[in-house]
Amino acid sequence: MGYQQAYQRSIEQPEQFWAEQAEHIAWFKKPQTILSNDDNHVPRWFADGEMNSCYLALDYHIEQGRGEQAALIYDSPVTQTQQTYTYLQLRDKVALLAGAMQQQGISKGDRVLIYLPMVAEAAIAMLACARIGAIHSVVFGGFAAKEVASRIDDATPSMILTASCGIEVGRIIDYKSIIDQAIEQAEHKITQVVVLQRPQQPCTLIEGRDIDWQAFTDAASPVDCITVMATDPLYILYTSGTTGKPKGVVRDNGGHAVAMKYSMQAIYDVHPGDVYWAASDVGWVVGHSYIVYAPLFAGCTTVLYEGKPVGTPDAGAFWRVIEQHKVKIMFTAPTAFRAVRKQDPEATFYQQYDTSSLKALYLAGERTDSSTYYWLKELLQKPVIDHWWQTETGWAIVANMIGLEVLETKAGSSTKPVTGFNVQVLDVNGSSVEANTVGEIVVKQPLPPGCFPTVWNNAERYHQTYMAPYPGFYLTGDGGYIDEDGYVFIMGRTDDVINVAGHRFSTGELEELIAGHDAVAEAAVVGIHCDLKGQIPLALVVIKDGIEADSAVSDSIVTLVRNNVGAVASLRQVLLVQRLPKTRSGKILRKTLRQIADGEQFNIPSTIDDPTILEEIKRVYIDQDVIS
Ligand code: COA
Ligand code: AMP
C-alpha cells in the first residue's frame, strides 16, 4: 500500500487501520475494544488489551530465537568503554533489577524516578520498571536540583535510581549531590535511592536511604513480566509548558507499543537485526521512543552513545560510530550536525570512515536549516529526512514515510502527515485556512495510538492546554502551513516555549526564576537566534532602585539559572534595561524584543505604552553595553 492510500485509510477507518497494526505485537490478551472513551472523555486505544512492554522488548525476541543477537550496544567515548548486551543478557539484567525493586516493595502503578547519565543501566532501569508495571519518570541529567525536586513532588516516586556521576566533555558532573539536594528541596519524602557507583567518581552513600546498585541486584532474584492493561501508564516524561510548572506527559503501554512497532517499519524502514542509532539522551522523548522502546520492540540493535558530536574526541565521532557498529538508520537533532560542520566544514573526518551501512539520516527536535540540510545531503548522498514531532505525541506527526513510499521532499517541509494524524491549520477563530496560509497547527481527534492521554495528576491541564482551545482538535503549539500538495511546513512555536539545541524550555519558567533574584524588579526572557543551537534565551532585566546595574548582577543571574534549571538552558546573555516594553494592558512585547535582538525589522506596535523604550533597548543591545 502506498502512502496516500494508507494515510486515507488511517483517517477514514482509524479503528480498522489500528486493529490491523495491533496484530503485529504479542499481546497476552488481544484487545476486542479498539477505540473507546475514558472517564475524562479522552479517546483511548485498545482499552481491554493485556500485555507487558518489557516482554515485547526482550522476552518475546528470546522466544523467537533472537536471544544471542545484540540488543544494545553501549558506546562511551567519554569513559573509553564499549559493551554489547545480547537480548538474553539484557533480559537477565532487567529481570534482576526488577526483582530487586519488587523485593523493596515497588509494585504496579508505583512511580520510580530515574536520574542517570547515558549508561546501559538507564535503559535497564526503564525496562525493569515496565517489567513490574511500575511507572518510570526519567529526568534528563542536565537538569539541576530544583527541576528534579519539582518532578519528585509531582510524580511522588517510591524510589530513585541514580548514579554517582555523569561525564561531560572535560568535567565530571556530581549526579549524587544533585539528587541529594533535590530530595532535600522536595516536599515528598524519598526513602530509597539506588546508586550506580561509577569508577570515575564514586560517592558516599547515606545510611538507611541509599543502596549500592551492585549490592542491590546481587541480593535479588530475577522476576517475570507482570500483566498490565494497554491503558496503564508506562511512563511520565516532564516537558516544558508555558508556566513554571513542568507538565508530566503520560504514555500508556498498549497504544505506545503498537505505534512504536509500526513506526519502525513505516517511517524508518528498519527490521529485526538492523542497527538503529538515535544520538539523543534517554532523558528526552527521542531517547524513550527511539533509543529504548521502538528499536527493541522491532528486534533491532540499539546504540546507546555516551558522548557528544564533537569533543569526544573530535568531529569524526558520529562517523566512527556508524562505521564501527554498522548503523543502518541514524536519528539526531540538526544542532548536532551544525556542531560537526562548524568544526569540520570540509568533512575531512567523514572521508576517514566507511559509512556505507547507513541508509538514511533522520533529523528532528527543531527546524532543520536549509544550509545544514544541503550540506548533509551532498555529503552523504543518502536520504536526509526531517520529521516533526513532540514529547506529547511520542512519535512523528509529519514525516517522509519511506517504509510505505519514498515521497519527493520540499526544502523547509518535513513532508506529509504520518498515518493516523489528521493535521490541519486553523486561524485564530478556529476556521480552516486556505493552502499556504500560516496558522495554528492542530490534529483532529482521535490522536493515533502512542500519543498522550493525559497530563499526570492534572486531567484539567490536559484539557485546558491542548483540547479546549479548538474543540475536537489537539493544539500542537506550533505554527505553520500546508501547501497545495499537502506538504506541511513547521514555522516554530506560537507559545512561550523556546527550543535550545533541540531541548524545550519555558521562557515563563526562566522569567519566574530570574524575577525571584534579590536585585531584580522585573524580567522578560525571549528566544533569539543562535547559529549552533537554533535558539538561545536572552534575559532582559530591570534592576531594583538603589542597586547598581553592573556585570556582577548579570553574572549572578546566569549562575542562578545554571544552578536552578541547569547549564543546558544556555542562558548567557543578560541585558540590564530601565524598563520593559509593554502594551498598555501590561503585556510584554516579546515578539518585538526577539526581532530587535535578531536584528530584524520591527514595527512599533500601536498598543505600546512608551515607544521610546524599544529604541533604547535596541541601542543597549547593539552596543552590547551590559551583556554578560
Ligand atoms: N548532564 C549535565 N550537564 C549537561 C548535560 C548532562 N547530561 N548535557 C549538557 N550539559 C551541560 C553541558 O556540559 C554544557 O555546560 P557548559 O555550559 O558548562 O559548557 C551545557 O549543559 C550546555 O550543553 P549543550 O546544550 O550540550 O551544549 P554544548 O555547547 O556543550 O554542545 C551541541 C552543543 C550542539 C554539541 C549539543 O547541544 C548536542 O550534542 N546537541 C544534540 C541535541 C540533542 O541530542 N537533542 C535531543 C533531542 S533529539
Ligand atoms: P520536544 O517536545 O522537546 O520534542 O519539542 C517539540 C518541539 O520541537 C515541537 O513543538 C517543535 O516546536 C520542535 N520541533 C521538533 N521537531 C521539529 C521539526 N522537525 N521541525 C521543526 N520543529 C520541530
mmCIF file of all heavy atoms in Angstrom, residues 595-626:
data_model
loop_
_atom_site.group_PDB
_atom_site.id
_atom_site.type_symbol
_atom_site.label_atom_id
_atom_site.label_comp_id
_atom_site.label_asym_id
_atom_site.label_seq_id
_atom_site.Cartn_x
_atom_site.Cartn_y
_atom_site.Cartn_z
ATOM 1 N N GLN A 595 12.675 40.322 17.711
ATOM 2 C CA GLN A 595 13.044 40.904 16.417
ATOM 3 C C GLN A 595 14.216 41.872 16.585
ATOM 4 O O GLN A 595 15.128 41.898 15.758
ATOM 5 C CB GLN A 595 11.845 41.642 15.821
ATOM 6 C CG GLN A 595 10.793 40.683 15.271
ATOM 7 C CD GLN A 595 9.523 41.399 14.863
ATOM 8 O OE1 GLN A 595 9.068 42.324 15.541
ATOM 9 N NE2 GLN A 595 8.933 40.979 13.761
ATOM 10 N N ILE A 596 14.200 42.639 17.656
ATOM 11 C CA ILE A 596 15.308 43.579 17.894
ATOM 12 C C ILE A 596 16.609 42.793 18.068
ATOM 13 O O ILE A 596 17.628 43.078 17.443
ATOM 14 C CB ILE A 596 15.040 44.432 19.156
ATOM 15 C CG1 ILE A 596 13.850 45.368 18.930
ATOM 16 C CG2 ILE A 596 16.289 45.239 19.538
ATOM 17 C CD1 ILE A 596 13.441 46.159 20.164
ATOM 18 N N ALA A 597 16.553 41.772 18.924
ATOM 19 C CA ALA A 597 17.767 41.001 19.218
ATOM 20 C C ALA A 597 18.291 40.303 17.965
ATOM 21 O O ALA A 597 19.493 40.175 17.770
ATOM 22 C CB ALA A 597 17.480 39.987 20.312
ATOM 23 N N ASP A 598 17.393 39.848 17.105
ATOM 24 C CA ASP A 598 17.816 39.137 15.891
ATOM 25 C C ASP A 598 18.138 40.090 14.746
ATOM 26 O O ASP A 598 18.434 39.658 13.633
ATOM 27 C CB ASP A 598 16.732 38.141 15.453
ATOM 28 C CG ASP A 598 16.682 36.929 16.384
ATOM 29 O OD1 ASP A 598 17.638 36.745 17.148
ATOM 30 O OD2 ASP A 598 15.698 36.183 16.334
ATOM 31 N N GLY A 599 18.041 41.385 15.021
ATOM 32 C CA GLY A 599 18.368 42.382 14.001
ATOM 33 C C GLY A 599 17.346 42.450 12.889
ATOM 34 O O GLY A 599 17.639 42.891 11.779
ATOM 35 N N GLU A 600 16.126 41.984 13.157
ATOM 36 C CA GLU A 600 15.084 42.032 12.123
ATOM 37 C C GLU A 600 14.381 43.386 12.153
ATOM 38 O O GLU A 600 14.416 44.096 13.150
ATOM 39 C CB GLU A 600 14.025 40.941 12.395
ATOM 40 C CG GLU A 600 14.533 39.539 12.196
ATOM 41 C CD GLU A 600 13.503 38.494 12.654
ATOM 42 O OE1 GLU A 600 12.336 38.845 12.866
ATOM 43 O OE2 GLU A 600 13.905 37.336 12.817
ATOM 44 N N GLN A 601 13.709 43.691 11.041
ATOM 45 C CA GLN A 601 12.849 44.880 11.005
ATOM 46 C C GLN A 601 11.718 44.685 11.995
ATOM 47 O O GLN A 601 11.210 43.575 12.136
ATOM 48 C CB GLN A 601 12.207 45.003 9.612
ATOM 49 C CG GLN A 601 13.155 45.444 8.526
ATOM 50 C CD GLN A 601 13.505 46.918 8.654
ATOM 51 O OE1 GLN A 601 12.804 47.665 9.322
ATOM 52 N NE2 GLN A 601 14.604 47.328 8.036
ATOM 53 N N PHE A 602 11.344 45.741 12.694
ATOM 54 C CA PHE A 602 10.173 45.583 13.558
ATOM 55 C C PHE A 602 9.271 46.802 13.462
ATOM 56 O O PHE A 602 9.728 47.914 13.241
ATOM 57 C CB PHE A 602 10.590 45.340 15.010
ATOM 58 C CG PHE A 602 11.345 46.494 15.642
ATOM 59 C CD1 PHE A 602 10.673 47.462 16.383
ATOM 60 C CD2 PHE A 602 12.716 46.610 15.488
ATOM 61 C CE1 PHE A 602 11.360 48.513 16.965
ATOM 62 C CE2 PHE A 602 13.409 47.664 16.062
ATOM 63 C CZ PHE A 602 12.739 48.626 16.809
ATOM 64 N N ASN A 603 7.970 46.519 13.587
ATOM 65 C CA ASN A 603 7.001 47.614 13.611
ATOM 66 C C ASN A 603 6.727 47.957 15.060
ATOM 67 O O ASN A 603 6.611 47.062 15.900
ATOM 68 C CB ASN A 603 5.682 47.171 12.967
ATOM 69 C CG ASN A 603 5.876 46.922 11.497
ATOM 70 O OD1 ASN A 603 6.657 47.616 10.831
ATOM 71 N ND2 ASN A 603 5.197 45.894 10.990
ATOM 72 N N ILE A 604 6.597 49.250 15.326
ATOM 73 C CA ILE A 604 6.285 49.628 16.699
ATOM 74 C C ILE A 604 4.794 49.357 16.923
ATOM 75 O O ILE A 604 3.945 49.949 16.255
ATOM 76 C CB ILE A 604 6.637 51.107 16.956
ATOM 77 C CG1 ILE A 604 8.156 51.271 16.799
ATOM 78 C CG2 ILE A 604 6.163 51.546 18.331
ATOM 79 C CD1 ILE A 604 8.685 52.651 17.023
ATOM 80 N N PRO A 605 4.458 48.409 17.807
ATOM 81 C CA PRO A 605 3.045 48.076 17.996
ATOM 82 C C PRO A 605 2.249 49.290 18.483
ATOM 83 O O PRO A 605 2.731 50.055 19.322
ATOM 84 C CB PRO A 605 3.080 46.981 19.070
ATOM 85 C CG PRO A 605 4.484 46.488 19.097
ATOM 86 C CD PRO A 605 5.339 47.629 18.679
ATOM 87 N N SER A 606 1.037 49.421 17.947
ATOM 88 C CA SER A 606 0.244 50.612 18.285
ATOM 89 C C SER A 606 -0.189 50.614 19.749
ATOM 90 O O SER A 606 -0.487 51.644 20.317
ATOM 91 C CB SER A 606 -0.994 50.675 17.388
ATOM 92 O OG SER A 606 -1.708 49.476 17.566
ATOM 93 N N THR A 607 -0.170 49.405 20.368
ATOM 94 C CA THR A 607 -0.641 49.320 21.760
ATOM 95 C C THR A 607 0.451 49.610 22.780
ATOM 96 O O THR A 607 0.208 49.544 23.985
ATOM 97 C CB THR A 607 -1.168 47.895 22.029
ATOM 98 O OG1 THR A 607 -0.171 46.975 21.597
ATOM 99 C CG2 THR A 607 -2.476 47.623 21.326
ATOM 100 N N ILE A 608 1.672 49.910 22.317
ATOM 101 C CA ILE A 608 2.781 50.077 23.264
ATOM 102 C C ILE A 608 2.556 51.305 24.154
ATOM 103 O O ILE A 608 2.042 52.330 23.695
ATOM 104 C CB ILE A 608 4.142 50.156 22.515
ATOM 105 C CG1 ILE A 608 5.288 50.036 23.506
ATOM 106 C CG2 ILE A 608 4.238 51.414 21.678
ATOM 107 C CD1 ILE A 608 6.640 49.814 22.844
ATOM 108 N N ASP A 609 2.929 51.184 25.438
ATOM 109 C CA ASP A 609 2.684 52.324 26.331
ATOM 110 C C ASP A 609 3.724 53.422 26.141
ATOM 111 O O ASP A 609 3.420 54.596 26.281
ATOM 112 C CB ASP A 609 2.593 51.861 27.800
ATOM 113 C CG ASP A 609 3.884 51.231 28.318
ATOM 114 O OD1 ASP A 609 4.761 50.925 27.479
ATOM 115 O OD2 ASP A 609 3.994 51.036 29.540
ATOM 116 N N ASP A 610 4.989 53.031 25.811
ATOM 117 C CA ASP A 610 6.031 54.043 25.636
ATOM 118 C C ASP A 610 6.964 53.599 24.497
ATOM 119 O O ASP A 610 7.883 52.807 24.712
ATOM 120 C CB ASP A 610 6.802 54.186 26.960
ATOM 121 C CG ASP A 610 7.970 55.140 26.825
ATOM 122 O OD1 ASP A 610 8.137 55.750 25.730
ATOM 123 O OD2 ASP A 610 8.727 55.265 27.795
ATOM 124 N N PRO A 611 6.745 54.116 23.272
ATOM 125 C CA PRO A 611 7.516 53.633 22.114
ATOM 126 C C PRO A 611 9.019 53.895 22.218
ATOM 127 O O PRO A 611 9.817 53.169 21.621
ATOM 128 C CB PRO A 611 6.918 54.410 20.938
ATOM 129 C CG PRO A 611 5.699 55.075 21.448
ATOM 130 C CD PRO A 611 5.766 55.141 22.921
ATOM 131 N N THR A 612 9.450 54.877 22.994
ATOM 132 C CA THR A 612 10.882 55.211 23.025
ATOM 133 C C THR A 612 11.718 54.078 23.612
ATOM 134 O O THR A 612 12.894 53.943 23.315
ATOM 135 C CB THR A 612 11.124 56.481 23.862
ATOM 136 O OG1 THR A 612 10.643 56.238 25.186
ATOM 137 C CG2 THR A 612 10.423 57.684 23.246
ATOM 138 N N ILE A 613 11.062 53.253 24.421
ATOM 139 C CA ILE A 613 11.823 52.191 25.092
ATOM 140 C C ILE A 613 12.428 51.185 24.114
ATOM 141 O O ILE A 613 13.503 50.645 24.324
ATOM 142 C CB ILE A 613 10.950 51.474 26.139
ATOM 143 C CG1 ILE A 613 11.788 50.419 26.867
ATOM 144 C CG2 ILE A 613 9.766 50.767 25.567
ATOM 145 C CD1 ILE A 613 11.802 50.574 28.280
ATOM 146 N N LEU A 614 11.732 50.962 22.990
ATOM 147 C CA LEU A 614 12.255 49.995 22.020
ATOM 148 C C LEU A 614 13.573 50.490 21.433
ATOM 149 O O LEU A 614 14.535 49.724 21.287
ATOM 150 C CB LEU A 614 11.226 49.742 20.913
ATOM 151 C CG LEU A 614 9.979 48.984 21.352
ATOM 152 C CD1 LEU A 614 9.020 48.834 20.184
ATOM 153 C CD2 LEU A 614 10.331 47.608 21.902
ATOM 154 N N GLU A 615 13.630 51.756 21.117
ATOM 155 C CA GLU A 615 14.872 52.328 20.577
ATOM 156 C C GLU A 615 15.982 52.222 21.616
ATOM 157 O O GLU A 615 17.129 51.936 21.302
ATOM 158 C CB GLU A 615 14.650 53.800 20.175
ATOM 159 C CG GLU A 615 13.873 53.973 18.876
ATOM 160 C CD GLU A 615 14.492 53.204 17.695
ATOM 161 O OE1 GLU A 615 15.728 53.107 17.615
ATOM 162 O OE2 GLU A 615 13.724 52.679 16.866
ATOM 163 N N GLU A 616 15.594 52.441 22.864
ATOM 164 C CA GLU A 616 16.587 52.381 23.934
ATOM 165 C C GLU A 616 17.152 50.951 24.049
ATOM 166 O O GLU A 616 18.364 50.755 24.129
ATOM 167 C CB GLU A 616 15.910 52.783 25.242
ATOM 168 C CG GLU A 616 16.876 52.887 26.409
ATOM 169 C CD GLU A 616 16.121 53.097 27.719
ATOM 170 O OE1 GLU A 616 15.131 53.852 27.719
ATOM 171 O OE2 GLU A 616 16.511 52.466 28.709
ATOM 172 N N ILE A 617 16.258 49.980 23.985
ATOM 173 C CA ILE A 617 16.711 48.584 24.086
ATOM 174 C C ILE A 617 17.586 48.226 22.893
ATOM 175 O O ILE A 617 18.620 47.581 23.018
ATOM 176 C CB ILE A 617 15.504 47.627 24.219
ATOM 177 C CG1 ILE A 617 14.894 47.800 25.605
ATOM 178 C CG2 ILE A 617 15.895 46.177 23.982
ATOM 179 C CD1 ILE A 617 13.649 47.016 25.856
ATOM 180 N N LYS A 618 17.181 48.706 21.734
ATOM 181 C CA LYS A 618 17.953 48.421 20.522
ATOM 182 C C LYS A 618 19.379 48.981 20.687
ATOM 183 O O LYS A 618 20.361 48.299 20.388
ATOM 184 C CB LYS A 618 17.257 49.078 19.327
ATOM 185 C CG LYS A 618 17.836 48.656 18.004
ATOM 186 C CD LYS A 618 16.997 49.209 16.888
ATOM 187 C CE LYS A 618 17.764 49.115 15.588
ATOM 188 N NZ LYS A 618 17.143 49.901 14.547
ATOM 189 N N ARG A 619 19.453 50.196 21.181
ATOM 190 C CA ARG A 619 20.762 50.824 21.357
ATOM 191 C C ARG A 619 21.598 50.028 22.370
ATOM 192 O O ARG A 619 22.743 49.673 22.124
ATOM 193 C CB ARG A 619 20.577 52.275 21.831
ATOM 194 C CG ARG A 619 21.884 53.051 21.954
ATOM 195 C CD ARG A 619 21.636 54.465 22.445
ATOM 196 N NE ARG A 619 20.770 54.526 23.616
ATOM 197 C CZ ARG A 619 21.160 54.183 24.849
ATOM 198 N NH1 ARG A 619 22.386 53.758 25.059
ATOM 199 N NH2 ARG A 619 20.320 54.268 25.855
ATOM 200 N N VAL A 620 20.986 49.681 23.497
ATOM 201 C CA VAL A 620 21.723 48.942 24.530
ATOM 202 C C VAL A 620 22.156 47.583 23.984
ATOM 203 O O VAL A 620 23.292 47.155 24.170
ATOM 204 C CB VAL A 620 20.850 48.738 25.800
ATOM 205 C CG1 VAL A 620 21.589 47.884 26.814
ATOM 206 C CG2 VAL A 620 20.486 50.065 26.405
ATOM 207 N N TYR A 621 21.263 46.909 23.252
ATOM 208 C CA TYR A 621 21.587 45.577 22.767
ATOM 209 C C TYR A 621 22.714 45.631 21.751
ATOM 210 O O TYR A 621 23.686 44.874 21.821
ATOM 211 C CB TYR A 621 20.359 44.894 22.144
ATOM 212 C CG TYR A 621 20.648 43.446 21.860
ATOM 213 C CD1 TYR A 621 20.677 42.529 22.907
ATOM 214 C CD2 TYR A 621 20.963 43.001 20.586
ATOM 215 C CE1 TYR A 621 20.998 41.201 22.679
ATOM 216 C CE2 TYR A 621 21.282 41.673 20.360
ATOM 217 C CZ TYR A 621 21.300 40.779 21.412
ATOM 218 O OH TYR A 621 21.622 39.464 21.190
ATOM 219 N N ILE A 622 22.588 46.575 20.833
ATOM 220 C CA ILE A 622 23.593 46.623 19.774
ATOM 221 C C ILE A 622 24.940 47.091 20.319
ATOM 222 O O ILE A 622 25.990 46.573 19.962
ATOM 223 C CB ILE A 622 23.072 47.467 18.596
ATOM 224 C CG1 ILE A 622 21.994 46.628 17.912
ATOM 225 C CG2 ILE A 622 24.174 47.824 17.608
ATOM 226 C CD1 ILE A 622 21.168 47.338 16.926
ATOM 227 N N ASP A 623 24.909 48.006 21.285
ATOM 228 C CA ASP A 623 26.181 48.424 21.905
ATOM 229 C C ASP A 623 26.743 47.325 22.802
ATOM 230 O O ASP A 623 27.887 47.406 23.241
ATOM 231 C CB ASP A 623 25.959 49.668 22.790
ATOM 232 C CG ASP A 623 25.616 50.884 21.939
ATOM 233 O OD1 ASP A 623 25.721 50.767 20.714
ATOM 234 O OD2 ASP A 623 25.226 51.912 22.517
ATOM 235 N N GLN A 624 25.908 46.308 23.081
ATOM 236 C CA GLN A 624 26.323 45.218 23.985
ATOM 237 C C GLN A 624 26.812 45.795 25.313
ATOM 238 O O GLN A 624 27.745 45.284 25.929
ATOM 239 C CB GLN A 624 27.453 44.384 23.344
ATOM 240 C CG GLN A 624 27.104 43.827 21.986
ATOM 241 C CD GLN A 624 26.415 42.476 22.057
ATOM 242 O OE1 GLN A 624 26.951 41.529 22.561
ATOM 243 N NE2 GLN A 624 25.192 42.423 21.564
ATOM 244 N N ASP A 625 26.156 46.891 25.737
ATOM 245 C CA ASP A 625 26.568 47.608 26.935
ATOM 246 C C ASP A 625 26.824 46.715 28.147
ATOM 247 O O ASP A 625 27.886 46.694 28.714
ATOM 248 C CB ASP A 625 25.434 48.567 27.347
ATOM 249 C CG ASP A 625 25.636 49.931 26.730
ATOM 250 O OD1 ASP A 625 26.588 50.034 25.942
ATOM 251 O OD2 ASP A 625 24.855 50.846 27.040
ATOM 252 N N VAL A 626 25.785 46.036 28.544
ATOM 253 C CA VAL A 626 25.872 45.329 29.825
ATOM 254 C C VAL A 626 25.582 43.846 29.659
ATOM 255 O O VAL A 626 25.022 43.209 30.527
ATOM 256 C CB VAL A 626 24.865 45.925 30.834
ATOM 257 C CG1 VAL A 626 25.455 47.086 31.569
ATOM 258 C CG2 VAL A 626 23.560 46.287 30.167
#
